[in-house]
Amino acid sequence: MTVMRSVVLGCGSYLPTRTLTNAELARQVDTNDEWIVQRTGIRERHIAAPGEVTSDLATKAAQAALADAKVGAETIDLIVLATSTPDQTFPATAVTVQASLGITVGAAFDLQAVCSGFVYAMSIADSLLKSGGHKRALVIGAETFSRILDWKDRTTCVLFGDGAGAVVLEAQSQPGTREDRGVLTAHLRSDGRHKSKLYVDGGPSSTQTVGLLRMEGRAVFKHAVANVTDVVFDAFKATGYTGADLNWFVPHQANKRIIDDSAHKLGIAPEKVVITVDKHGNTSAASVPLALDVARKDGRIKQGDLVMLEAMGGGFTWGSVLLRW
Ligand code: ACO
């Protein structure tokens, strides 16, 4: 019996040209390379140029994904863009990307789930494609977190970076077997009781300002491993796969210690874990598609591979997506 699946046709990413190293940061706040590397695994991050906005990054990542998929922008009838750093309060950054790509059909909207945004966006795009309402989607994670950082706060400013990643997803009829390509299962969670542990202290309805990121790092860390392992185990339960069956684990890139602990608890061998946090820092909703693109372009992820995506972010929100590439 055939089933509809959302199959990845291609992926792409974009990083601003300017890199900011730990050594440079140590000249601005009371920190050092050794502390940052030991506690987080981060060595450098990319920072958007003055005037370069989230939609610029997102458009470049989307163009790269369309080229990789070998399909034209005019064939896209859905754009789901995950971001917490939109160009403007409204309209959605997704419609700016839609216009930049010359797309005049279908729907485009933003999705806000902080660092879990791309995983949420994949799940929502998958549902819309499987419903038959849309045929081919761009799913994008794009952020300019450098614009909402308190550059005097060493406990947060060393952690984040800017960037964008995108995939093209297409609704395809698959045979309904273990070999099916596409999204196999998706699990989304949130718990708003933790919203004060990681938030931005401004907004249009409260302060009429953009605000800056505030985080209780230790409290977030404590929940992160438990939450992401739970939601990945949900994906295993739904499909019968285990950590040993995965070809690649592409986690949210917040902190190498969280990634290592999670992979260990999930029974995933270290050589199957895609790590980019050293070079990108935490790019929030962009981190998973950026990591996917790195592992695809360097030849690690191949067609037919079983790939687990997961993320956890402010809210808290967290989720997993299991797909066969
Ligand atoms: N350089 C040097 N020292 C520092 C720095 C710094 N950049 N930042 C903090 N310190 C100091 C602290 O002041 C503290 O000093 P004290 O002991 O004298 O008080 C000491 O280092 C230890 O601080 P902790 O906060 O306990 O350090 P920890 O090991 O927990 O690491 C970190 C901090 C990296 C933030 C970690 O807690 C973490 O990664 N948390 C999770 C973040 C995360 O996963 N976010 C994901 C979601 S992000 C999103 O949704 C947007």
Side-chain angles (χ1 to χ4, degrees):
M1 191 191 66
T2 62
V3 290
M4 287 307 279
R5 300 262 189 216
S6 307
V7 175
V8 178
L9 298 186
C11 61
S13 64
Y14 175 76
L15 288 161
T17 49
R18 157 114 169 90
T19 55
L20 177 63
T21 64
N22 291 347
E24 282 178 83
L25 269 171
R27 291 196 284 274
Q28 296 168 32
V29 286
D30 180 17
T31 190
N32 56 76
D33 179 60
E34 194 193 351
W35 190 96
I36 301 172
V37 172
Q38 194 186 50
R39 302 286 176 132
T40 72
I42 300 167
R43 293 180 185 278
E44 60 185 32
R45 67 288 290 146
H46 291 252
I47 303 292
E52 191 176 35
V53 292
T54 296
S55 63
D56 297 325
L57 278 51
T59 300
K60 286 180 176 145
Q63 285 165 333
L66 289 167
D68 186 50
K70 300 186 176 59
V71 299
E74 71 286 353
T75 68
I76 298 294
D77 61 2
L78 177 67
I79 300 176
V80 187
L81 191 154
T83 190
S84 301
T85 45
D87 295 2
Q88 295 159 272
T89 302
F90 78 79
T93 302
V95 300
T96 302
V97 173
Q98 185 189 32
S100 303
L101 295 173
I103 301 170
T104 55
V105 296
F109 61 92
D110 286 2
L111 190 153
Q112 220 282 43
V114 203
C115 296
S116 311
F118 184 76
V119 166
Y120 266 61
M122 284 290 281
S123 173
I124 299 306
D126 176 47
S127 298
L128 289 170
L129 291 172
K130 283 199 297 207
S131 76
H134 300 268
K135 297 271 176 272
R136 198 177 271 173
L138 265 170
V139 184
I140 307 169
E143 303 279 16
T144 46
F145 256 52
S146 62
R147 307 273 157 73
I148 55 164
L149 294 178
D150 179 349
W151 287 99
K152 292 191 182 68
D153 175 11
R154 68 174 183 173
T155 69
T156 53
C157 76
V158 303
L159 302 174
F160 296 91
D162 301 336
V167 301
V168 179
L169 277 186
E170 180 180 72
Q172 284 186 9
S173 178
Q174 291 285 307
T177 68
R178 293 297 267 178
E179 280 68 50
D180 276 9
R181 293 183 63 205
V183 174
L184 304 177
T185 192
H187 300 265
L188 305 181
R189 304 277 180 271
S190 65
D191 185 347
R193 288 174 301 175
H194 301 289
K195 69 186 184 121
S196 63
K197 295 187 176 81
L198 175 51
Y199 66 101
V200 165
D201 63 6
S205 178
S206 51
T207 59
Q208 297 85 57
T209 62
V210 172
L212 298 175
L213 183 144
R214 307 292 173 200
M215 176 167 76
E216 291 174 33
R218 219 175 295 183
V220 178
F221 193 100
K222 214 177 68 196
H223 287 273
V225 176
N227 285 350
V228 300
T229 51
D230 263 13
V231 82
V232 171
F233 277 127
D234 284 348
F236 288 157
K237 215 180 301 167
T239 56
Y241 287 117
T242 69
D245 297 315
L246 297 181
N247 296 101
W248 301 107
F249 181 49
V250 186
H252 172 47
Q253 308 283 322
N255 183 314
K256 184 152 186 312
R257 287 188 295 149
I258 296 174
I259 295 172
D260 291 346
D261 284 8
S262 309
H264 178 72
K265 288 198 166 68
L266 291 163
I268 301 168
E271 61 273 17
K272 293 179 175 179
V273 183
V274 177
I275 304 276
T276 52
V277 71
D278 53 334
K279 293 209 150 41
H280 300 168
N282 180 350
T283 57
S284 190
S287 93
V288 170
L290 271 163
L292 265 180
D293 195 42
V294 166
R296 175 67 179 150
K297 297 288 150 60
D298 69 17
R300 274 180 287 176
I301 297 179
K302 296 185 178 63
Q303 189 166 318
D305 281 355
L306 197 56
V307 183
M308 178 69 78
L309 318 179
E310 59 83 348
M312 137 110 187
F316 295 142
T317 56
W318 63 104
S320 66
V321 169
L322 180 65
L323 60 89
R324 193 175 289 286
W325 197 266

